Amino acid sequence: MSSPTRFACAQSTCNSGDGPLRSWIALSIGLAAIGHFAWEAAQLPLYTLWRTGTPREIAFALFHCTGGDVLITTATFAAAAALARHFRLPPFGWRMVFIAIVLGGGYTIFSEWLNVEISRTWSYTAAMPVVPFLGTGLTPLLQWLIVPGLALALIGYRYRRATG
């Protein structure tokens, strides 16, 4: 006799590797991409490139960083969805969102440290608030708390309405 599943969800979303859940994840990545672009543009004045770079360098940095954000978002959302599926957590539930945010935030802390302190790929202006003990800029860290969280929450709401 099989035990009842902990969370009820449609067979096509919980047990299918190619199910419609992938479309919802892709939609959340697209929404996050828009958010990342807007956030990157807004926080540019907190980096020295804003004062020292040419318009072309600034535009390149904006699109380059947004592209990186989309790649990180894709990896963290895919990992969060896979872990949610593995542990039979509800898709777009708070645990899945938490996993994605922790993964993105952890990567951000590492990436900012590597690029600001080690390789000196970019630097902050004095206006950038820095997280004590981490040395990571506050706005890049907040970006990875807010943008993916909002994207997953908004798409998750629509997902639950469509599948529930």
Side-chain angles (χ1 to χ4, degrees):
M1 175 179 219
S2 65
S3 63
T5 57
R6 193 166 139 196
F7 297 99
C9 58
Q11 188 81 351
S12 63
T13 56
C14 284
N15 297 323
S16 172
D18 320 31
L21 183 58
R22 285 188 183 189
S23 298
W24 290 97
I25 294 293
L27 188 58
S28 63
I29 291 167
L31 184 59
I34 294 166
H36 284 307
F37 181 82
W39 194 288
E40 290 290 351
Q43 75 178 353
L44 263 172
L46 299 174
Y47 290 88
T48 56
L49 178 68
W50 184 252
R51 292 188 184 115
T52 63
T54 65
R56 182 180 173 146
E57 290 169 330
I58 293 168
F60 175 81
L62 177 61
F63 286 100
H64 174 81
C65 293
T66 301
D69 293 336
V70 171
L71 291 175
I72 298 162
T73 299
T74 302
T76 59
F77 284 13
L83 287 169
R85 182 173 174 213
H86 176 77
F87 290 108
R88 295 185 179 263
L89 301 172
F92 294 99
W94 72 267
R95 291 180 187 120
M96 182 180 153
V97 174
F98 180 77
I99 291 167
I101 289 171
V102 166
L103 291 173
Y107 180 81
T108 297
I109 292 168
F110 169 75
S111 177
E112 292 291 312
W113 168 78
L114 183 65
N115 286 289
V116 172
E117 299 296 326
I118 304 302
S119 65
R120 302 199 187 280
T121 308
W122 62 73
S123 58
Y124 304 140
T125 66
M128 171 70 84
V130 177
V131 179
F133 304 108
L134 292 178
T136 300
L138 180 62
T139 63
L141 191 54
L142 286 175
Q143 176 180 356
W144 282 94
L145 299 175
I146 295 170
V147 172
L150 282 176
L152 287 171
L154 289 171
I155 299 303
Y157 173 76
R158 295 197 56 173
Y159 170 82
R160 286 186 293 281
R161 288 193 55 158
T163 61

